[in-house]
Amino acid sequence: MSLENHAEFKLSITKALGDQLAAALEELTPAPLTMGNILRLRPLPGVYQMYKGEELVYVGKADKSLPQRIEKHFRKISGRRNISIEEMSFTCLYVDEDFGAVAPERLLINKHRGQGEVSWNYNGFGNNDPGKRRDTTVVEEKHFDRQYPIDLEYAFPDIGTVDGASEAELTLAKLLTITKVLLPYVFRYESSKAFDEIAVRLPAGPLTADEALRVISEHVPAPWQVTALPGYVIMYEKTEDYPSGMRYYRAGQVIDPAPDA
């Protein structure tokens, strides 16, 4: 009888790490996605998981600060339609910086994708400004921005709280800067020195994003156009229809494309 004295053995360190991370996160109870809970976090690097109801929808990492990264998601979701911030919760683990080289969030993503989870990973949720090249592309049905488009009825906080701006009158350049800060989604625009000389008087009372964009549109001459796309807003010195344009602001006029446009 012959016995072998050697065999192959494959050790997967990354799989072991992924399993340990997942097990540690499963022991945590998801907390509601509120600013209070976010501010209680320590400003350390780590990984986190986000839940929509009972469903695990997203795994991410923070290279420097978990609260800073998760707050960006809070703002993004708070400015979207078809979803409520009250539906969202999260868990997180502080991870030593030396551990970053093995991409801990990728280990978790791979594990959960195999189980049919983390539907928001790789669908555009974690993206920042996609850049001008994406302005003219069609947003696919499964993309986060198509499922949860920006909310143009998002209510601004008091404009007077930003850089001491006057609610009654300010320059167009200042209003653009304030709007960019207050919007919970990207507002990318082309600047012009002329905007420093254009005075703007705001309507009384709080403003929605739509109302602020209308005011901006009223004060920029043709062919300037403000365009609301599914995931962000742009403003350039040209009049143009975009494949995924949701609303156009032209010289104070609002144009909503036909549904099949």
Side-chain angles (χ1 to χ4, degrees):
M1 181 177 179
S2 176
L3 297 176
E4 294 285 351
N5 67 349
H6 57 91
E8 292 185 3
F9 173 72
K10 294 182 179 180
L11 175 63
S12 176
I13 298 295
T14 55
K15 183 179 185 303
L17 290 173
D19 290 344
Q20 289 183 41
L21 282 170
L25 284 161
E26 286 173 3
E27 294 180 359
L28 302 175
T29 300
L33 185 61
T34 65
M35 280 306 301
N37 285 332
I38 293 170
L39 292 174
R40 276 191 279 272
L41 299 176
R42 287 178 283 166
L44 298 173
V47 293
Y48 58 93
Q49 297 188 158
M50 297 187 64
Y51 298 82
K52 181 176 180 286
E54 300 296 322
E55 179 187 2
L56 173 60
V57 293
Y58 189 77
V59 169
K61 71 170 181 176
D63 293 326
K64 295 182 179 180
S65 171
L66 278 167
Q68 187 177 68
R69 179 65 175 166
I70 296 173
E71 182 181 352
K72 288 184 178 180
H73 296 325
F74 173 88
R75 279 180 51 80
K76 183 169 189 172
I77 294 170
S78 68
R80 299 289 172 144
R81 294 189 284 120
N82 304 333
I83 192 170
S84 169
I85 202 72
E86 284 74 21
E87 300 177 71
M88 303 301 300
S89 58
F90 72 99
T91 56
C92 60
L93 287 174
Y94 304 110
V95 179
D96 190 278
E97 291 185 47
D98 294 338
F99 198 25
V102 300
E105 85 290 353
R106 183 64 57 84
L107 303 177
L108 290 167
I109 291 170
N110 291 340
K111 177 180 178 63
H112 289 297
R113 287 190 80 188
Q115 301 170 355
E117 299 175 311
V118 294
S119 60
W120 287 8
N121 283 99
Y122 306 117
N123 85 332
F125 171 69
N127 293 351
N128 294 314
D129 187 345
K132 291 184 68 172
R133 288 183 298 176
R134 295 294 300 274
D135 297 348
T136 56
T137 61
V138 175
V139 181
E140 298 179 355
E141 292 293 334
K142 292 184 179 181
H143 196 282
F144 181 85
D145 292 341
R146 178 58 64 87
Q147 295 176 337
Y148 308 104
I150 60 174
D151 183 8
L152 293 173
E153 296 306 314
Y154 174 81
F156 276 9
D158 183 0
I159 284 182
T161 64
V162 181
D163 294 335
S166 168
E167 293 188 23
E169 189 169 346
L170 64 166
T171 66
L172 178 58
K174 190 69 172 180
L175 177 58
L176 286 166
T177 300
I178 292 173
T179 301
K180 185 178 181 70
V181 170
L182 294 181
L183 282 178
Y185 35 82
V186 169
F187 178 28
R188 181 182 355 109
Y189 60 88
E190 185 178 358
S191 60
S192 169
K193 291 183 178 180
F195 296 164
D196 292 318
E197 307 300 326
I198 299 175
V200 177
R201 181 171 292 276
L202 298 176
L207 293 178
T208 64
D210 176 72
E211 290 168 336
L213 296 176
R214 289 173 189 252
V215 172
I216 291 169
S217 173
E218 290 171 358
H219 289 81
V220 289
W224 285 88
Q225 172 182 292
V226 180
T227 304
L229 296 165
Y232 54 101
V233 177
I234 58 176
M235 187 184 84
Y236 290 106
E237 193 178 3
K238 60 180 178 179
T239 301
E240 181 178 354
D241 290 337
Y242 292 84
S244 294
M246 297 194 311
R247 176 168 291 178
Y248 303 109
Y249 301 82
R250 297 168 178 162
Q253 300 298 310
V254 175
I255 301 169
D256 291 325
D260 58 348

